[in-house]
Amino acid sequence: MDASRFDAVARSIARAPSRRQLLALVIAGMAPLLQVGAGEARKRRKTKKACGPCAKRKNGKCKPDAEGTPCADGKICRSGRCECQQACPSDRECLANGSCARLCPASFDCGPGCGCGLASVEGPQFCIVSEGGCEFFTQGCESNAECPIGQHCMTTFCLTAPFNRCISLCPG
């Protein structure tokens, strides 16, 4: 390299950069970081909300399953919702096993042969058949879904395990 060219290179290195040049360098240095952030944002936008138990995604949209499609223990799809096999009357609650259980009324009068049980393991008190005892109801459970249709899971005062048992609901 000749002396005049060396002097020109040395002068350009020694000269302080302008504010515009500094800003350009900062932006150029941050560009890769900005691109990663934009890519992650695009990925997040593409995440789709899951469809319910009675719907499947088709062409990017949730479409309801056919009426009567099984959706949970003892339940079926009805109008895009997971419900009891038979429609429960307004004073009853649909349980996970497909039973319609009558909520215990404020008067505690569940009708002949029935009474208010203890609270279900899942919360409310239901009308249960008042005949039978620990020797009659022997199936243990942890949730209503584990009991046969027509029964619900209730904590009992039985002295032997299991302490949660499937108890018959009042019919009708």
Side-chain angles (χ1 to χ4, degrees), residues 32-156:
L33 297 174
L34 295 172
Q35 289 174 349
V36 169
E40 288 175 5
R42 272 190 296 253
K43 286 179 189 174
R44 268 187 258 125
R45 261 184 265 131
K46 289 181 182 179
T47 303
K48 294 180 178 138
K49 189 172 111 180
C51 297
C54 284
K56 303 265 185 302
R57 187 166 297 283
K58 187 172 183 181
N59 296 331
K61 294 184 179 182
C62 293
K63 302 287 182 187
D65 287 342
E67 295 289 306
T69 303
C71 57
D73 294 331
K75 293 186 177 186
I76 59 170
C77 293
R78 191 177 278 138
S79 301
R81 294 180 7 183
C82 193
E83 297 182 351
C84 279
Q85 290 181 13
Q86 72 278 358
C88 293
S90 61
D91 66 338
R92 300 189 186 247
E93 188 173 308
C94 180
L95 303 182
N97 64 359
S99 300
C100 289
R102 182 174 174 212
L103 291 166
C104 207
S107 66
F108 293 100
D109 182 16
C110 289
C114 294
C116 284
L118 299 173
S120 163
V121 295
E122 295 176 10
Q125 282 183 284
F126 297 117
C127 292
I128 62 169
V129 174
S130 50
E131 299 149 4
C134 295
E135 67 283 347
F136 185 71
F137 299 110
T138 58
Q139 181 178 339
C141 58
E142 292 299 319
S143 71
N144 291 329
E146 296 175 13
C147 295
I149 292 178
Q151 296 185 0
H152 82 104
C153 189
M154 184 179 91
T155 301
T156 66

